[in-house]
């Protein structure tokens, strides 16, 4: 089978590997679509921590069942998506249902080789039917679930003032699910193309360009009180630190992005506002189910979000184009078959 290998940073090649053999509890999937994530771009650039090369990327996956265990509810040819977070099931987090932050978690495409290949084997418990959604849509469920999880963690309510900082796919996902809760949603980003996309397709209430005068504008939008819920999806330590200033008294700050850095804040301001600080990592099956339900209901503009497309054989030569800031990528999909 064809496999895209990142042998060193900034270098991809297509190699041939044997089709993987399926263990008794695993499903052999014919990969059909791979969504390109920010994590994949970091791996390609060489600035993803705790990663060794050579490496096979890809954790936003949809495909069709090639082989399934005897007695499985899955059938050959059925469209499926993959939950890429392999949890141990025995640690304290798993026993509390928090499989998304399992102590021994292994994420496809990060901790182990991913799905940029013709085939992949995945334990049956992480393979879910994509009935009622397209293969394109199914490959976008994972990043949408991350946003859904962050919003569920926050417990934002109808009428809540929500600020999403960072209008990449994860930030957009958070904005979508905050909007679905009937919150009043503002997005802050440096890229006007992303903000205009959010205004046109996501139904957000306000967009603000980050830079000179942005704090005054955010204050104006909230009568000087700022936001009940702030979600950071920037992956930028300075922005994450600055975001504390935008949390209203009694508000909640949700760090969705993660960086290899210390994040600091003013303790007097933190206590004065009685700020709630939350980390949000990955997603659970409940979040995936919510995403699928809303895609089926036509409440998520997945067709608009799939802005770029690469054929599998084009990836080594064209993958770097997705890093070009002048190229307004929201979500790129790789067509494997």
């Amino acid at each position: 089978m064809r496999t895209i290998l990142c042998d060193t940073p900034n270098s991809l090649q297509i190699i041939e590997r044997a089709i993987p053999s399926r263990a008794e509890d695993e499903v052999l999937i014919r990969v059909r679509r791979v969504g390109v994530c920010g994590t994949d771009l970091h791996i390609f650039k060489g600035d993803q921590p705790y990663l060794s090369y050579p490496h096979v990327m890809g954790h936003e996956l949809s495909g069709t069942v090639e082989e399934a265990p005897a007695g499985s509810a899955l059938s050959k040819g059925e469209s499926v998506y993959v939950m890429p977070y392999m949890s141990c099931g025995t640690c304290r987090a798993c026993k509390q249902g928090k499989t998304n932050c399992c102590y021994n978690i292994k994420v496809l495409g990060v901790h182990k080789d991913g799905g940029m290949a013709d085939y992949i084997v995945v334990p049956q418990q992480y393979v879910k039917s994509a009935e009622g959604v397209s293969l394109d849509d199914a490959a976008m469920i994972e990043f949408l679930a991350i946003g859904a999880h962050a919003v569920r963690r926050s417990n934002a309510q109808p009428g809540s003032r929500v600020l999403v900082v960072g209008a990449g796919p994860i930030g957009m996902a958070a904005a979508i699910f905050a909007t679905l809760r009937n919150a009043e949603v503002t997005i802050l980003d440096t890229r006007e193309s992303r903000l205009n996309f959010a205004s046109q397709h996501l139904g957000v209430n306000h967009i603000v360009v980050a830079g000179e005068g942005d704090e005054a504008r955010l204050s104006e939008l909230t009568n000087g009180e700022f936001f009940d819920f702030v979600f950071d999806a920037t992956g930028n330590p300075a922005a994450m630190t600055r975001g504390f200033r935008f949390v209203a008294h009694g508000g909640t700050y949700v760090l969705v992005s993660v960086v290899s850095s210390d994040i600091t804040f003013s303790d007097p301001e933190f206590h004065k506002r009685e700020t709630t600080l939350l980390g949000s990592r990955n997603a659970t099956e409940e979040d995936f189910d919510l995403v699928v339900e809303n895609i089926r209901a036509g409440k998520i503009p997945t067709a608009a979000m799939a802005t770029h497309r690469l054929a599998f054989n084009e990836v080594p030569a064209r993958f770097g184009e997705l890093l070009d800031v002048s190229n307004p990528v929201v979500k790129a999909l790789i067509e494997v078959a």
Side-chain angles (χ1 to χ4, degrees):
M1 68 173 186
R2 300 170 302 166
T3 302
I4 296 174
L5 187 69
C6 186
D7 46 0
T8 60
N10 299 298
S11 175
L12 299 176
Q13 60 174 317
I14 297 178
I15 64 169
E16 284 292 326
R17 284 184 172 177
I19 296 174
S21 299
R22 179 181 66 82
E24 185 176 348
D25 66 339
E26 292 181 323
V27 179
L28 176 64
I29 299 171
R30 178 73 164 91
V31 181
R32 302 293 186 178
R33 302 286 189 278
V34 182
V36 178
C37 172
T39 298
D40 300 320
L41 298 174
H42 284 298
I43 292 170
F44 177 71
K45 290 190 295 180
D47 57 10
Q48 176 72 12
Y50 319 120
L51 191 100
S52 60
Y53 297 85
H55 192 78
V56 179
M57 301 180 291
H59 61 274
E60 299 180 2
L61 307 174
S62 68
T64 51
V65 175
E66 192 72 14
E67 296 176 6
S72 171
L74 299 170
S75 57
K76 183 177 173 64
E78 182 175 0
S79 294
V80 293
Y81 66 91
V82 174
M83 291 178 56
Y85 321 126
M86 312 287 128
S87 53
C88 70
T90 58
C91 72
R92 189 165 185 83
C94 284
K95 288 179 178 178
Q96 296 178 73
K98 299 176 182 179
T99 54
N100 58 303
C101 53
C102 166
Y103 185 80
N104 303 298
I105 200 166
K106 298 289 186 292
V107 180
L108 288 177
V110 180
H111 303 105
K112 57 193 301 183
D113 278 351
M116 282 194 189
D118 285 316
Y119 295 90
I120 189 172
V121 291
V122 179
Q124 182 177 212
Q125 71 188 93
Y126 303 111
V127 182
K128 305 296 180 181
S129 173
E131 181 181 359
V133 302
S134 69
L135 287 168
D136 281 2
D137 290 352
M140 291 190 276
I141 292 170
E142 190 269 345
F143 84 85
L144 290 164
I146 292 174
H149 181 75
V151 173
R152 182 165 66 86
R153 287 269 290 152
S154 76
N155 199 30
Q157 298 296 311
S160 296
R161 289 173 176 161
V162 168
L163 174 66
V164 177
V165 187
I170 301 297
M172 288 188 186
I176 286 168
F177 283 92
T179 300
L180 287 171
R181 287 189 173 218
N182 294 316
E184 181 183 333
V185 180
T186 300
I187 297 187
L188 174 70
D189 197 279
T190 59
R191 295 160 294 184
E192 292 192 47
S193 62
R194 289 279 180 91
L195 292 172
N196 291 335
F197 180 94
S199 179
Q200 180 179 354
H201 295 287
L202 306 187
V204 301
N205 301 91
H206 309 286
I207 55 174
V208 177
V209 179
E212 185 177 354
D214 60 355
E215 187 167 352
R217 176 58 178 154
L218 295 174
S219 176
E220 178 186 4
L221 288 172
T222 58
N223 299 316
E225 295 180 323
F226 291 101
F227 296 86
D228 304 309
F229 300 92
V230 177
F231 296 85
D232 177 86
T234 65
N236 181 291
M240 294 166 79
T241 297
R242 186 177 185 237
F244 282 91
R245 289 156 51 179
F246 304 141
V247 182
H249 283 237
T252 298
Y253 192 22
V254 185
L255 298 180
V256 190
S257 55
V258 58
V259 293
S260 297
S261 180
D262 292 335
I263 305 300
T264 61
F265 56 85
S266 164
D267 188 62
E269 286 295 325
F270 186 83
H271 277 81
K272 181 173 72 176
R273 303 175 193 216
E274 199 177 50
T275 304
T276 298
L277 178 61
L278 295 174
S280 184
R281 184 184 185 190
N282 300 328
T284 66
E285 188 166 355
E286 178 181 350
D287 304 306
F288 280 80
D289 290 344
L290 180 64
V291 171
V292 173
E293 175 187 329
N294 280 283
I295 290 177
R296 286 174 178 156
K299 295 181 178 180
I300 302 177
T302 47
M305 297 181 82
T307 55
H308 290 67
R309 194 174 298 266
L310 299 176
F312 190 88
N313 289 336
E314 295 178 314
V315 172
R318 297 188 55 200
F319 195 80
E321 295 174 13
L322 304 178
L323 293 166
D324 185 351
V325 294
S326 66
N327 191 9
V329 180
V330 175
K331 176 57 59 177
L333 296 176
I334 297 170
E335 294 187 340
V336 181

